[in-house]
Amino acid sequence: MPNHRSIITWSQLNIPKSQIDTINSTLDDLVKKQDVYVAIYDPITRSVINRFKLNDNSGMRPDGTPSIHWGNSNKGLITWQVGDITTYGSKIFYSQIVENGGSYTYSTPTSITNLSGFNFDIHVCYYDGTNAVAEWINDPDMDDSTNNSQVYFSFWNGSNWSAPTLRYSISPDTRIKEITIAVNGQYGVDGVTYDYYTADGTLVNGIY
């Protein structure tokens, strides 16, 4: 980050431990109270100079697995996974952080995609100070045993995300394990690890 500062993000409950109803609360009740926080650390003063909670749903949905992605200027993106209590799937939210003269602003958290099912394992890379590309896994039926997940990508132009686009045409019965992307200027590479079973029950591992 500018000024040699560091940005940290994490998820935690938005209530103190003393307010947890250990008798009547379910695990779902507790997870819904999990939100994403951001902090800026200054190594010169050895102190946290900015701490902020990303308010996206008033504590009605669980937030987790936040990540930070920074360009080569004064802007970055924070992404995280948000549980959907209506469809029981998950969406990917983002907030843009902008540094200006030592102060920081955060855009209103918004969903990157409205694809149904589980959306998770997002990776974002800037290819200049403004534009970035995101790639993630979508499991449309939210059933890991059906092995029908796909990989989608979207471009960020500094203000908006493009419509999600299918990255690969992955064969049925193939399980996506992990994805990764890396970008250097106008060039980039991505990879997907996967596995599947042959007709005789042999496990095959591979990479795209």
Side-chain angles (χ1 to χ4, degrees):
M1 292 184 66
N3 302 320
H4 306 289
R5 291 170 176 168
S6 300
I7 180 170
I8 310 161
T9 185
W10 70 96
S11 57
Q12 70 175 58
L13 294 182
N14 57 25
I15 59 172
K17 184 178 179 180
S18 60
Q19 293 183 16
I20 296 176
D21 185 345
T22 58
I23 298 176
N24 300 309
S25 295
T26 66
L27 180 59
D28 285 342
D29 292 331
L30 293 178
V31 171
K32 289 176 187 177
K33 298 183 182 299
Q34 183 169 288
D35 285 317
V36 170
Y37 293 76
V38 184
I40 308 297
Y41 177 77
D42 188 340
I44 304 300
T45 62
R46 298 182 181 180
S47 63
V48 173
I49 61 172
N50 182 280
R51 186 175 184 270
F52 188 78
K53 183 177 80 169
L54 296 168
N55 295 305
D56 66 333
N57 53 51
S58 302
M60 293 305 295
R61 295 173 298 193
D63 300 48
T65 61
S67 297
I68 299 167
H69 324 278
W70 201 264
N72 57 11
S73 63
N74 67 327
K75 298 177 182 179
L77 290 165
I78 304 165
T79 60
W80 66 98
Q81 189 175 344
V82 177
D84 190 325
I85 62 174
T86 302
T87 65
Y88 299 101
S90 64
K91 300 182 183 300
I92 294 171
F93 272 60
Y94 78 95
S95 174
Q96 180 175 234
I97 176 174
V98 179
E99 189 273 343
N100 186 8
S103 63
Y104 302 87
T105 58
Y106 304 86
S107 67
T108 301
T110 308
S111 177
I112 290 178
T113 171
N114 288 317
L115 289 173
S116 60
F118 285 135
N119 294 277
F120 61 99
D121 196 23
I122 184 170
H123 297 259
V124 178
C125 284
Y126 276 87
Y127 48 91
D128 59 28
T130 301
N131 299 282
V133 58
E135 198 168 276
W136 70 92
I137 299 174
N138 169 259
D139 184 353
D141 63 1
M142 300 174 290
D143 185 350
D144 188 56
S145 67
T146 56
N147 295 334
N148 61 349
S149 296
Q150 297 289 343
V151 177
Y152 283 83
F153 71 92
S154 180
F155 289 105
W156 169 254
N157 64 6
S159 301
N160 298 286
W161 291 96
S162 65
T165 302
L166 189 65
R167 177 67 179 94
Y168 297 100
S169 180
I170 297 175
S171 303
D173 299 324
T174 299
R175 182 173 69 99
I176 299 174
K177 299 169 66 177
E178 294 178 316
I179 64 173
T180 187
I181 61 173
V183 174
N184 185 3
Q186 297 298 313
Y187 298 93
V189 62
D190 63 353
V192 176
T193 58
Y194 65 90
D195 63 21
Y196 65 89
Y197 286 93
T198 62
D200 63 1
T202 302
L203 177 63
V204 178
N205 290 280
I207 182 170
Y208 285 110

